[in-house]
């Protein structure tokens, strides 16, 4: 049973916009929001006055003094005056949280056309400010000093994974290096990406002056960068005559895990697994029906565990998906053809919306140098915290 069969109506992605990701010193949060919102509305073939509701995904958590940005999208046009606008926050999954809130407005019948935006400005803030803000998404570390920040939390995941599944030969580091190299290689073809350089497997696998350990065993190339950026998508219940064919939302899932680390298995990502199950079940498809996926690789260990949480491999066998080439651009299920968070960048509130936009571009044949050969169905997975807030969407061409 698909979403349309379950709810009796379509949810369509009818237009989208995407900024470049990176250190955008010339841009403000407002200018980024206005840019991508304008692009999305235009590409959907509608007028601003046709927007019924706006959802803005933004984490912030103290990285910016402005903590009330929901009305910034109204700057696009006077015709947006009095449109309902809401900021949505769920850590690094804020973008997908906003996407699902917009979806639910359409399904509830309170709106027919919704504008969803994800945006973040981070690079202006000092490393200590950014680090403290991100640690606000962890139950145990929030408000505490840390020299390794969120990298340290995912380094702990890697250590637990190695202890449970490793054989002591250092293989995990090589696998993570290959994932990093894959995503950097993919990022070269993404005009929006922050890091557009093919670094090669040897560099990514090796600790060096240019690739130091950030938190053992994670090297710099295992970590997504601090980024500015924004993306937007128009959701509608029917086609709007946009510049491309619309993309259908076939299913979605959301699951949250317990917040204290002691209540979670650090390598299972149990709620992540459940969000995948819910989305695929609603769409009425299996993993084998997907042509590609964009997943939340804030750190390479997160992508590795994701292979297992999504059901691509059994627990502890994620390396097989890398070693046998399944997740490469020409593999059975390409993962992060955009370069992922690792190369594309991770402006946290923008990430989930960006993933949906990139997937929509692939499904409409408008992804340029990133384009896969005629994909029909994709999944997007976005995560807040260490497997805490988990969102999955299944998208398909119309």
């Amino acid at each position: 049973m698909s979403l349309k069969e379950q709810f009796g109506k379509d949810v369509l992605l009818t237009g989208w916009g995407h900024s470049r990701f990176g250190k955008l010193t010339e841009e403000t949060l407002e200018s980024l929001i206005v840019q991508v919102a304008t692009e999305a509305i235009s590409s959907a073939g509608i007028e601003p006055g046709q927007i019924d509701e706006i959802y803005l995904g933004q984490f912030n958590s103290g990285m910016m003094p402005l903590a009330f940005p929901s009305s910034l999208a109204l700057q696009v046009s006077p015709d947006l005056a009095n449109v309902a606008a809401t900021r949505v926050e769920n850590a690094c999954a804020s973008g997908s949280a906003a996407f699902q809130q917009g979806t639910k407005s359409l399904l509830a019948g309170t709106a027919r056309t919704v504008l969803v935006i994800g945006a973040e400005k981070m690079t202006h803030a000092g490393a200590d400010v950014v680090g403290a803000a991100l640690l606000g998404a962890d139950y145990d570390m929030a408000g505490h000093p840390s020299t390794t920040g969120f990298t340290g939390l995912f380094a702990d995941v890697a250590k637990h994974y190695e202890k449970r599944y490793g054989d002591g030969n250092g293989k995990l580091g090589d696998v993570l290096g290959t994932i990093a190299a894959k995503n950097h290689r993919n990022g070269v073809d993404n005009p929006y990406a922050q890091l557009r350089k093919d670094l090669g497997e040897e560099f990514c696998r090796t600790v060096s002056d240019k690739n130091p350990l950030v938190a053992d065993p994670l090297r710099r190339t295992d970590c997504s960068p601090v980024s500015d950026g924004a993306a937007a998508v128009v959701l509608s219940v029917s086609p709007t005559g946009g510049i491309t064919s619309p993309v259908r939302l076939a299913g979605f899932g959301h699951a949250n895990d317990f917040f204290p680390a002691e209540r979670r298995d650090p390598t299972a990502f149990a709620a992540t697994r459940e969000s995948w199950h819910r989305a695929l079940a609603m769409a009425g498809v299996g993993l084998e029906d997907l042509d590609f996926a964009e997943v939340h690789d804030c750190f390479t260990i997160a992508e590795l565990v994701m292979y297992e949480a999504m059901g691509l491999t059994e627990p502890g066998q994620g390396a097989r998906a890398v070693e046998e080439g399944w997740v490469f651009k020409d593999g059975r299920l390409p993962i992060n053809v955009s370069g992922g968070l690792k190369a594309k960048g991770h402006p946290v509130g923008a990430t989930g919306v960006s993933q949906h936009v990139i997937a929509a571009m692939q499904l409409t044949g408008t992804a340029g140098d990133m384009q896969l050969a005629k994909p029909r169905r994709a999944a997007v997975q976005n995560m807040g915290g260490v497997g805490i807030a988990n969102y999955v969407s299944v998208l398909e061409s119309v």
Side-chain angles (χ1 to χ4, degrees):
M1 178 179 290
S2 68
L3 179 151
K4 184 175 183 180
E5 292 169 331
Q6 182 171 338
F7 294 98
K9 63 177 69 176
D10 254 331
V11 174
L12 301 174
L13 288 70
T14 54
W16 43 82
H18 202 298
S19 80
R20 185 168 59 86
F21 281 6
K23 186 173 184 179
L24 309 180
T25 55
E26 71 282 5
E27 301 286 356
T28 64
L29 182 67
E30 179 179 335
S31 69
L32 287 167
I33 288 172
V34 169
Q35 174 195 331
V36 297
T38 301
E39 289 177 7
I41 292 168
S42 175
S43 70
I46 62 174
E47 297 298 326
Q50 294 175 258
I51 299 293
D52 299 315
E53 199 164 1
I54 299 169
Y55 286 98
L56 170 66
Q58 187 215 22
F59 181 41
N60 194 352
S61 190
M63 289 185 287
M64 286 195 66
L66 179 64
F68 183 44
S70 56
S71 282
L72 289 179
L74 274 59
Q75 301 294 84
V76 169
S77 169
D79 293 336
L80 288 174
N82 302 318
V83 171
T86 304
R87 175 193 172 214
V88 179
E89 186 281 313
N90 220 359
C92 296
S94 296
S96 285
F99 181 91
Q100 286 200 12
Q101 289 304 114
T103 295
K104 291 173 181 178
S105 287
L106 297 185
L107 296 178
T110 57
R112 290 183 55 82
T113 306
V114 174
L115 174 63
V116 178
I117 306 164
E120 207 77 64
K121 275 287 288 182
M122 303 173 69
T123 64
H124 64 283
D128 56 338
V129 173
V130 173
L134 296 178
L135 281 177
D138 185 75
Y139 179 88
D140 301 288
M141 290 301 298
H144 295 285
S146 171
T147 57
T148 56
F150 233 82
T151 309
L153 301 179
F154 276 89
D156 286 342
V157 173
K159 290 173 183 175
H160 282 289
Y161 190 95
E162 178 68 15
K163 182 177 180 180
R164 179 173 296 183
Y165 300 118
D167 56 11
N169 65 3
K171 175 182 173 181
L172 177 61
D174 286 347
V175 171
L176 298 183
T178 300
I179 292 173
K182 167 183 74 73
N183 292 347
H184 276 288
R185 191 178 307 118
N186 289 345
V188 172
D189 295 328
N190 184 351
Y192 305 118
Q194 180 170 353
L195 304 174
R196 300 185 66 187
K197 185 175 182 180
D198 184 353
L199 297 178
E201 285 195 26
E202 185 63 27
F203 180 83
C204 292
R205 286 180 166 193
T206 306
V207 176
S208 65
D209 290 343
K210 293 185 177 181
N211 190 27
L213 283 173
V214 180
D216 192 17
L218 300 183
R219 299 146 298 207
R220 181 178 290 162
T221 50
D222 293 307
C223 310
S224 59
V226 173
S227 315
D228 306 326
V233 63
V234 173
L235 301 179
S236 309
V237 294
S238 60
T240 57
I243 61 176
T244 69
S245 299
V247 170
R248 176 178 290 115
L249 177 64
F252 62 90
H254 172 204
N256 269 51
D257 211 335
F258 294 107
F259 209 6
E262 64 183 17
R263 300 196 64 182
R264 289 179 277 117
D265 182 330
T267 67
F269 282 30
T272 310
R273 184 181 299 272
E274 180 61 25
S275 65
W276 275 97
H277 172 76
R278 292 174 181 175
L280 292 171
M282 182 183 290
V285 301
L287 206 64
E288 68 278 3
D289 298 308
L290 302 179
D291 295 306
F292 69 94
E294 289 287 321
V295 309
H296 193 98
D297 62 320
C298 49
F299 301 92
T300 51
I301 184 62
E303 180 168 330
L304 179 66
V305 176
M306 197 59 55
Y307 301 157
E308 301 169 15
M310 69 197 293
L312 188 58
T313 75
E314 293 298 316
Q317 298 298 311
R320 185 182 175 196
V322 178
E323 293 165 351
E324 298 187 18
W326 301 352
V327 295
F328 289 82
K329 195 169 183 177
D330 58 353
R332 58 188 273 191
L333 184 63
I335 300 289
N336 289 333
V337 174
S338 68
L341 286 59
K342 174 78 268 294
K344 183 180 61 177
H346 184 28
V348 290
T351 287
V353 182
S354 166
Q355 291 173 312
H356 284 85
V357 170
I358 294 293
M361 292 171 65
Q362 286 283 358
L363 293 170
T364 54
T366 58
D369 290 340
M370 294 183 284
Q371 187 65 53
L372 295 168
K374 298 181 180 179
R376 293 187 58 254
R377 187 176 291 113
V380 165
Q381 181 271 331
N382 188 201
M383 177 174 68
V386 186
I388 304 296
N390 303 274
Y391 295 82
V392 176
S393 297
V394 177
L395 306 177
E396 58 187 23
S397 56
V398 176

